[in-house]
Amino acid sequence: MNNQVAQRQQFTVKQFVNMDATQKRFKDVLGKRAAQFTSSLVSLVNSNQDLQKVDAASVVNSAFVAASLDLPVNSSLGYMYIVPYGSIAQPQIGYKGYLQLAQRSGQYKIITVSEIYQDELISWDPLTESFEYELHRDKPRDKETPAGYYGHFELLNGFQKTVYWTHQQIDDHRKQFSQAGGKGKDNPKGVWAKHYDSMALKTVIKDLLTKWGPMTVDTQAASLAEAGDYEQVVKEDPRDVTPEKTEDNAQVQSLINSYNEAQQEQQTTKKAAKPAKATKTASKGAKVDDNNVQEELLNDGTITPKSK
């Protein structure tokens, strides 16, 4: 296992991208846009020292996930992010990414999400979903802490859903689920410390769409990507992304797929530190907990799908 990881880490993202097998996989998914996509990926890695330090295979595989969802990886666009997490990279969907997937379904009439400040909130009844507010955005709000975060959508068939998370509910969610945001800690860290409101809005829109919105193939794939099930995301895409079985391609595919082994190796290393517990747990067939849901940056906004 260690030899496989060491061999894989000898390859850079640019070397992976330049291989014929990698190029073919991206072309199978993106067609003529593959060259632009891979160029953006290389530029992203070149401008991010943290991504340069993680397993290159996991970076390329995360890019495959973005390609299968047809979302750009340019972080400045806010649709999809490739985020270093330990020794590997993981794909995370941004706020605009969720809105883009919802818009593609053609089933949404309105989708909106926003911060709500204390002087703007009039009333909120979660039972009837009656929400009243009066926006006051005539002054800068950058240094103010929102009272909560509002999300709403209306489908073309008339179904509507409104949610409102208080600031405390958002922070409790961060403490429970976000390892990168300071799980179990009172003070947020990482992107939560730098962009708290954006992360909060991402939490609301994701919860709104995945719980109450139509579960399209794209939405399901996005949920799997957030949960870390990258292989299933690629399998959900109906287009063929399987490379030809040549010697070079087989090597590349083996290296790319082995990023999962790196994750398993980390878990195995932790278990090895406590062999007694590991043996006892294995004998009882205990299940390993799923990875915590990852969060990512997003931007505020409202979209209305164009009429066909």
Side-chain angles (χ1 to χ4, degrees):
M1 179 74 71
N2 291 333
N3 290 336
Q4 290 177 342
V5 174
Q7 182 184 14
R8 186 172 65 252
Q9 290 177 339
Q10 292 176 359
F11 290 82
T12 65
V13 171
K14 186 174 182 179
Q15 288 173 324
F16 269 111
V17 168
N18 289 334
M19 290 180 179
D20 291 339
T22 309
Q23 291 287 335
K24 181 182 185 303
R25 293 195 72 190
F26 280 116
K27 287 180 180 178
D28 286 340
V29 176
L30 298 172
K32 295 181 180 180
R33 293 175 292 121
Q36 181 180 2
F37 185 93
T38 54
S39 177
S40 296
L41 174 62
V42 174
S43 297
L44 173 67
V45 175
N46 288 341
S47 63
N48 190 323
Q49 294 184 354
D50 292 331
L51 281 179
Q52 296 172 20
K53 298 176 183 179
V54 300
D55 179 26
S58 69
V59 175
V60 176
N61 199 78
S62 297
F64 282 145
V65 174
S68 70
L69 293 172
D70 198 11
L71 295 174
V73 293
N74 188 328
S75 58
S76 63
L77 297 178
Y79 289 93
M80 192 83 175
Y81 301 86
I82 300 178
V83 181
Y85 191 78
S87 62
I88 65 172
Q90 295 183 351
Q92 294 184 5
I93 302 173
Y95 168 80
K96 290 183 179 179
Y98 273 106
L99 291 181
Q100 182 66 218
L101 298 180
Q103 185 179 26
R104 288 177 195 168
S105 71
Q107 300 185 54
Y108 289 88
K109 181 179 180 180
I110 296 174
I111 308 176
T112 185
V113 63
S114 177
E115 309 97 330
I116 299 295
Y117 295 91
Q118 191 62 53
D119 63 339
E120 297 177 332
L121 179 62
I122 299 176
S123 65
W124 161 244
D125 185 345
L127 296 180
T128 61
E129 296 185 3
S130 175
F131 188 86
E132 294 185 57
Y133 63 93
E134 183 178 352
L135 294 180
H136 301 295
R137 302 300 167 88
D138 54 344
K139 60 179 181 178
R141 296 282 192 171
D142 297 339
K143 297 182 180 181
E144 291 187 50
T145 299
Y149 305 85
Y150 163 87
H152 170 80
F153 73 71
E154 179 181 352
L155 299 181
L156 295 178
N157 64 12
F159 176 76
Q160 299 185 44
K161 183 66 182 180
T162 301
V163 297
Y164 177 73
W165 290 48
T166 66
H167 191 278
Q168 186 61 54
Q169 286 174 317
I170 288 290
D171 207 53
D172 289 343
H173 181 88
R174 174 192 63 81
K175 294 177 185 178
Q176 184 177 0
F177 294 107
S178 181
Q179 187 71 38
K183 181 179 179 181
K185 298 184 180 298
D186 290 334
N187 296 324
K189 68 176 185 178
V191 293
W192 276 90
K194 297 178 180 179
H195 307 280
Y196 193 99
D197 288 343
S198 294
M199 294 298 293
L201 290 170
K202 156 70 180 295
T203 301
V204 171
I205 195 65
K206 178 184 175 183
D207 180 76
L208 179 66
L209 296 181
T210 56
K211 284 187 177 180
W212 291 283
M215 185 55 70
T216 63
V217 172
D218 281 347
T219 303
Q220 183 178 0
S223 298
L224 290 171
E226 292 282 292
D229 196 350
Y230 315 135
E231 284 190 7
Q232 188 63 27
V233 173
V234 176
K235 289 178 182 178
E236 287 292 334
D237 191 90
R239 290 161 289 190
D240 181 18
V241 293
T242 305
E244 297 177 357
K245 293 183 179 180
T246 64
E247 182 178 353
D248 180 49
N249 292 349
Q251 179 191 33
V252 176
Q253 187 60 44
S254 175
L255 290 172
I256 293 175
N257 289 339
S258 61
Y259 84 100
N260 279 329
E261 296 178 2
Q263 290 179 295
Q264 295 175 359
E265 182 183 11
Q266 291 178 348
Q267 294 178 353
T268 302
T269 302
K270 292 180 180 180
K271 290 181 180 180
K274 298 180 180 180
K277 282 189 176 182
T279 303
K280 184 176 180 181
T281 302
S283 64
K284 291 184 178 181
K287 295 182 179 179
V288 179
D289 291 337
D290 293 333
N291 292 333
N292 291 322
V293 175
Q294 300 295 311
E295 305 282 359
E296 191 42 59
L297 297 176
L298 49 104
N299 297 305
D300 184 22
T302 301
I303 66 168
T304 301
K306 298 180 180 179
S307 301
K308 296 184 178 179

